[in-house]
């Protein structure tokens, strides 16, 4: 059973004149640490998080310990050790830094969101109208601020399926069929540190992309906005 050393509390009251309340001392152990934040003066440890789920809301309770460590030589030494380790790893390379030829795992797992500018670029690239691109290739889902209009359709209703613009027959032979006109989301996707990479593809293999994506004839440019 946890006990509180009341004599220490009494001694503290005696030394400082400040009243103490035993019920305000949390003597439970620090377990299940989920977050540690360190700045130049303080260390904050979050722990013992518990979630109570209701049908319509979650109640999340956690405990937090904050300590001004920069006056504590042992703590300063320990954190200096963490900084030294970070310096040692500063030049570590991530496992993946470039896309292997024909990899397109990210063209299946993600839905590239599109802005008005993206749809305009795709329309220009495919020689179609804005409205036709929206109808044929975009699942509409406008963001609250109106910035995103939706995301690029997949070949089926499954959002984890291949992007409608992805060409090629198998991993290692895939390529983007609208590369120059691809959405900003795709342009910003970086292979550096990418965890979705298909490791089975040889990085030394040679692969030339084939013909670009062609819209169906009936969607050729009708009217331009
Ligand atoms: S390595 Fe990553 S970013 Fe590059 S194509 Fe593969 S999944 Fe996409
Ligand atoms: S537009 Fe091109 S790069 Fe973007 S998800 Fe589709 S196939 Fe991949």
């Amino acid at each position: 059973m946890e006990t509180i050393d009341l004599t220490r509390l009494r001694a503290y009251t005696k030394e400082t004149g400040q009243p103490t309340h035993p019920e305000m001392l949390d003597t439970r152990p620090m377990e299940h640490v989920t977050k540690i934040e360190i700045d130049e003066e303080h260390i904050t440890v979050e722990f013992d998080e518990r979630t109570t789920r209701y049908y319509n809301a979650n109640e999340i309770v956690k405990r937090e310990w904050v300590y001004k460590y920069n006056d504590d030589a042992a703590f300063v030494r320990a954190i200096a050790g963490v900084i030294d380790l970070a310096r040692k790893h500063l030049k570590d390379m991530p496992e993946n830094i470039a896309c292997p030829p024909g990899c397109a795992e990210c063209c299946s797992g993600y839905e590239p969101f599109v802005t008005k500018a993206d749809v305009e670029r795709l329309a220009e690239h495919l020689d179609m109208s804005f409205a036709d691109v929206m109808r044929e290739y975009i699942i509409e889902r406008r963001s609250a601020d109106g910035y995103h209009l939706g995301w690029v359709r997949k070949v089926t209703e499954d959002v984890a399926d291949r992007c409608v613009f992805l060409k090629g027959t198998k991993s290692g032979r895939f390529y983007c069929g609208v590369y120059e006109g691809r959405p900003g989301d795709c342009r910003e996707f970086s292979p550096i540190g990418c965890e979705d990479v298909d490791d089975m593809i040889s990085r030394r293999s040679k692969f030339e992309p084939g013909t670009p994506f062609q819209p169906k004839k009936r969607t050729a440019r009708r009217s331009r906005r």
Side-chain angles (χ1 to χ4, degrees), residues 104 106-108 110-112 122 152-154 162-167 175-179 181-183 185-187 189:
C106 52
C107 301
S108 301
Y110 301 92
E111 314 93 87
L122 277 167
V152 178
R153 230 176 244 289
K154 300 304 184 93
R162 291 166 48 181
C163 169
V164 75
F165 296 131
L166 186 65
K167 293 205 60 177
Y175 63 97
C176 176
V178 292
Y179 191 76
R182 69 197 187 287
D185 257 12
C186 307
R187 289 162 194 269
F189 210 92

Side-chain angles (χ1 to χ4, degrees), residues 96-108 110 171 186 189-198 201 203:
N96 196 75
I97 55 167
C99 306
C103 176
E105 290 295 309
C106 52
C107 301
S108 301
Y110 301 92
S171 192
C186 307
F189 210 92
S190 168
I192 299 172
C194 173
E195 292 178 357
D196 298 320
V197 57
D198 183 350
I201 302 172
R203 300 208 174 246

